[in-house]
Amino acid sequence: MIRTDLIAPIADLLDKQAQAYPEKIAFEDRHRSVTYAALASEVTNLAGHYLEQGLTPGGSVGVWLPNSVDWVVSVLAAIRAGGVAVPIAFDAKNSEMAYRVEDAGITVMVTAPIMAEAVSSLAAGIRPDRVILNGVDETVGDRAADLAYLCATPAVSVVPVDDIDSVSMIVYTSGTTGQP
């Protein structure tokens, strides 16, 4: 039996779960957990901030994070904003990350502070326009680069209606037998 009720835009699915199970844990890692209501809110907030930071419909968001709640939120927010999520394995070498950034035309990158230097060292024509970090040093003061802040703060931009027929992810192969 095909569950046609599950064939819907990301926003609709998130809202449906948030209404049905607002306090139920949706995802959990060793650092934090998120309920369905919080997940829907964080995804919508971050999607709006992606748009404010230059993501255009069909534009690519690189997600170079370990498996985590932040990874899930970052990927779903890219799709929710009308962009294309490009997951990059956290253990990818810098050259593998660089290939994916260039090939997918990533304009916004979400990554861990430990990876930020590798991203900023990319050539000017390849480097993403915006880098968002999960775990920003509070002394830096750039709230627009702080993933936790962006997820918790509503954006001014209106998030477009999801287009269920548009490309939502680019997932690269591992490249064990050649270029990914």
Side-chain angles (χ1 to χ4, degrees), residues 136-142:
V136 173
D137 181 349
E138 293 296 327
T139 62
V140 174
D142 186 4

Side-chain angles (χ1 to χ4, degrees), residues 67-93:
N67 295 338
S68 61
V69 172
D70 288 348
W71 186 96
V72 172
V73 171
S74 298
V75 167
L76 292 177
I79 298 166
R80 177 70 180 92
V84 178
V86 183
I88 301 171
F90 195 62
D91 61 353
K93 296 177 181 160

Side-chain angles (χ1 to χ4, degrees), residues 78-153:
I79 298 166
R80 177 70 180 92
V84 178
V86 183
I88 301 171
F90 195 62
D91 61 353
K93 296 177 181 160
N94 290 357
S95 60
E96 296 168 332
M97 173 273 300
Y99 172 76
R100 287 161 175 82
V101 169
E102 182 175 22
D103 187 63
I106 292 171
T107 57
V108 177
M109 175 74 91
V110 182
T111 193
I114 194 168
M115 304 303 202
E117 187 176 328
V119 175
S120 62
S121 72
L122 294 172
I126 299 170
R127 186 174 42 248
D129 298 328
R130 195 69 175 132
V131 177
I132 299 170
L133 304 176
N134 75 331
V136 173
D137 181 349
E138 293 296 327
T139 62
V140 174
D142 186 4
R143 302 300 279 178
D146 180 348
L147 183 63
Y149 176 79
L150 297 177
C151 289
T153 309

Side-chain angles (χ1 to χ4, degrees), residues 19 24 29 32 38 42 52 55 64 70 72 108 112 114 137 148 152 157 165:
Q19 290 171 7
K24 186 174 181 180
D29 61 34
R32 74 181 187 112
E42 287 187 25
E52 289 175 354
L55 182 66
W64 195 18
D70 288 348
V72 172
V108 177
I114 194 168
D137 181 349
S157 293
D165 295 317

